[in-house]
Amino acid sequence: MQPTPEQISSYKQCGFVKIESVISQEEALRFRESALRYAKNNPPISNSSIFDQFVNVWTHDDAMKALTLHPNVARVATALAGEALRLWHDQILIKQPHVSLPTEYHQDQPYWPHATAPHPISCWLALGDVPVERGCMTFLPGSHRRTDLPAQSLADGRSLFAIAPELEWSERITQPLRAGDCTFHHGRCAHMATSNFTDETRVAHVVIFMPRTATFDGKRHVVTDPLSLNVGDPLAGTLFPDV
C-alpha cells in the first residue's frame, strides 16, 4: 500500500490525512480482540478518566506486534513523512463507554524526548467503527507548523488555546473512521477526541514513528526513563527498530 500524491500533498499541507482500509475490517476486528485481551490481563500506564493507555505493547504481545510492525502502516508513514523512520512506540488507547472524558486539544511531540526529529508521524488505527460519538479524532489543519509550543494538558480544554490563542479560530476537521481505517498525523498537529457517548468500547491502536536522525534530549518519558540515555544519544537499537 502507498498513499496517493494527493494524500501526500494533503498531509504536508494540513498535518494529517485519512487513509481508508490500511488493514481490512476483518483484520481490525481480530486485532481488537487481541487488544482487549491484552488490556484485560495487563495494567495500563494510565487509566485516567480520559482513556486507558498501554504503551510498547508490541514488546510483550506477538499479536499486537504484528499490527505495530504491519508493512502497510510502515510504508504509508514513510511515504508521508518523506524520510527514513524508526518506531518510537505503540500504544493501545481505550475509551470506556459513557464514562470517558474528552481528550482535549494538544500536540504530541512536546511530550517526547526527541531532538533532531522534525517529522514524527503517528498512525491512529480504528479497531472497530469509530463514529464521532465514540471518540474519533478532530484536527486543527496546519497547526503542525507551530513547532515552538510547550506541552499542553490533555485534560484542560483551554490549555492549547491559552498558549496559542489564534488556534482557537482555526478550521476544525473531524474524521470518523470505519474499522481498519486510520489517520496519520504529524507530531505537532493539534488534535482532540470527544468522550465515548456510545455503548461500545472505543479501541484505537497508535503506532508512532520518528526520523532515524532522532536523538535523546533529556526529557523524562516512560519509554526512555529505564534506558540510562545521555543527552545526544541516538534513539536506536532493538527497542526502536528501523521500518
Side-chain angles (χ1 to χ4, degrees), residues 90-144:
D90 67 0
Q91 56 185 354
I92 298 170
L93 298 179
I94 295 175
K95 276 189 179 289
Q96 301 293 347
H98 299 294
V99 298
S100 62
L101 295 178
T103 311
E104 300 291 358
Y105 280 105
H106 66 283
Q107 299 173 313
D108 294 329
Q109 193 176 34
Y111 287 94
W112 299 336
H114 292 178
T116 60
H119 301 297
I121 183 170
S122 296
C123 173
W124 196 101
L125 180 52
L127 302 185
D129 291 345
V130 187
V132 174
E133 297 79 9
R134 195 164 290 143
C136 71
M137 300 269 272
T138 295
F139 299 93
L140 302 184
S143 55
H144 62 302

Side-chain angles (χ1 to χ4, degrees), residues 3 8 11-12 74-85 119 121 211:
I8 294 172
Y11 174 80
K12 292 185 181 302
R75 277 195 292 267
V76 175
T78 300
L80 292 173
E83 64 177 298
L85 300 174
H119 301 297
I121 183 170

Side-chain angles (χ1 to χ4, degrees), residues 143-192:
S143 55
H144 62 302
R145 298 186 184 91
R146 290 302 308 267
T147 61
D148 58 327
L149 301 182
Q152 307 104 39
S153 171
L154 278 66
D156 181 355
R158 297 300 310 161
S159 179
L160 173 66
F161 301 130
I163 296 168
E166 72 282 2
L167 291 180
E168 187 165 8
W169 307 104
S170 297
E171 179 185 14
R172 305 180 186 193
I173 296 180
T174 299
Q175 292 283 4
L177 302 174
R178 301 302 299 266
D181 294 348
C182 69
T183 53
F184 285 85
H185 67 271
H186 188 283
R188 286 281 180 173
C189 185
H191 56 280
M192 66 88 65

Side-chain angles (χ1 to χ4, degrees), residues 5 7-8 16 32 41 45 52 56 62 65 86 91 97 101 141 148 156 166-167 185 201 208 214 216:
Q7 288 170 327
I8 294 172
F16 70 94
R32 175 186 177 85
N41 295 322
I45 68 159
D52 300 336
N56 261 353
D62 286 342
K65 179 179 180 178
R86 289 191 176 114
Q91 56 185 354
L101 295 178
D148 58 327
D156 181 355
E166 72 282 2
L167 291 180
H185 67 271
T201 302
I208 309 170
F216 181 60

